[in-house]
Amino acid sequence: MPHLIKKEISLNNLVGIRLNRHYPSISHLFFVDDSLGFTKLNSSTSGVITRTLQTYRKISGQIINLNKSSVCFSNNTNDCIIGSLLRNLNISLMQHGDRYLGLLAQFLESKNVTFAGLLNSLQSKLSEWKEKFLLQGGK
């Protein structure tokens, strides 16, 4: 799959996103059997994504489960382009509060609020480890 995405990027059919001007663009991330794609949208993007996924399916024999797939968009994305992509890919729109790998998939009003759950979980784990370590030291 990465080579198919890189090919589309080299042809300027897909454009990754940049976190800021000093960082390289990001087009995809893979985790075991999950993948995340990032691209700027235009009127032809949904066709490019559909074609890339179909090519991947033909080459690999794997079928992408669209029932477990979803997309999210930045606030300034054109509604017509969103509708076109959702129809062409037959994929659902990610809902506010959906999670991916235990984290909120979309940023909320602030990063502090978005990552508060993760921070609390980490602090709880660290407290448990600290307690276990201190208990063994006291023995």
Side-chain angles (χ1 to χ4, degrees):
M1 182 69 127
H3 65 283
L4 295 173
I5 295 170
K6 288 178 184 177
K7 177 184 173 193
E8 294 299 338
I9 289 170
S10 71
L11 296 171
N12 293 321
N13 293 333
L14 292 176
V15 178
I17 61 167
R18 294 185 103 128
L19 300 176
N20 72 35
R21 63 187 170 150
H22 302 291
Y23 295 130
S25 64
I26 300 170
S27 60
H28 58 282
L29 297 172
F30 295 117
F31 304 100
V32 187
D33 62 350
D34 284 351
S35 60
L36 298 171
F38 307 94
T39 188
K40 293 182 181 180
L41 293 178
N42 60 42
S43 58
S44 65
T45 304
S46 65
V48 173
I49 293 170
T50 301
R51 183 178 66 240
T52 302
L53 293 175
Q54 288 171 346
T55 303
Y56 173 74
R57 188 177 98 185
K58 287 177 187 174
I59 291 171
S60 69
Q62 295 180 340
I63 298 172
I64 295 163
N65 187 345
L66 295 176
N67 293 326
K68 292 183 176 181
S69 302
S70 60
V71 294
C72 64
F73 303 93
S74 69
N75 292 333
N76 59 355
T77 305
N78 181 301
D79 288 339
C80 292
I81 292 176
I82 290 174
S84 171
L85 189 97
L86 294 174
R87 280 189 305 278
N88 289 346
L89 292 178
N90 194 25
I91 197 167
S92 66
L93 184 61
M94 186 174 285
Q95 300 301 311
H96 193 69
D98 281 355
R99 294 182 174 273
Y100 178 72
L101 298 176
L103 297 174
L104 287 172
Q106 296 176 337
F107 286 114
L108 301 175
E109 55 271 9
S110 75
K111 291 177 190 171
N112 291 337
V113 173
T114 301
F115 293 108
L118 177 63
L119 184 59
N120 290 339
S121 177
L122 286 172
Q123 287 174 335
S124 173
K125 287 288 184 195
L126 288 172
S127 293
E128 289 174 19
W129 292 341
K130 184 177 177 182
E131 187 176 311
K132 286 179 184 177
F133 178 74
L134 289 175
L135 288 175
Q136 287 181 342
K139 291 180 181 178

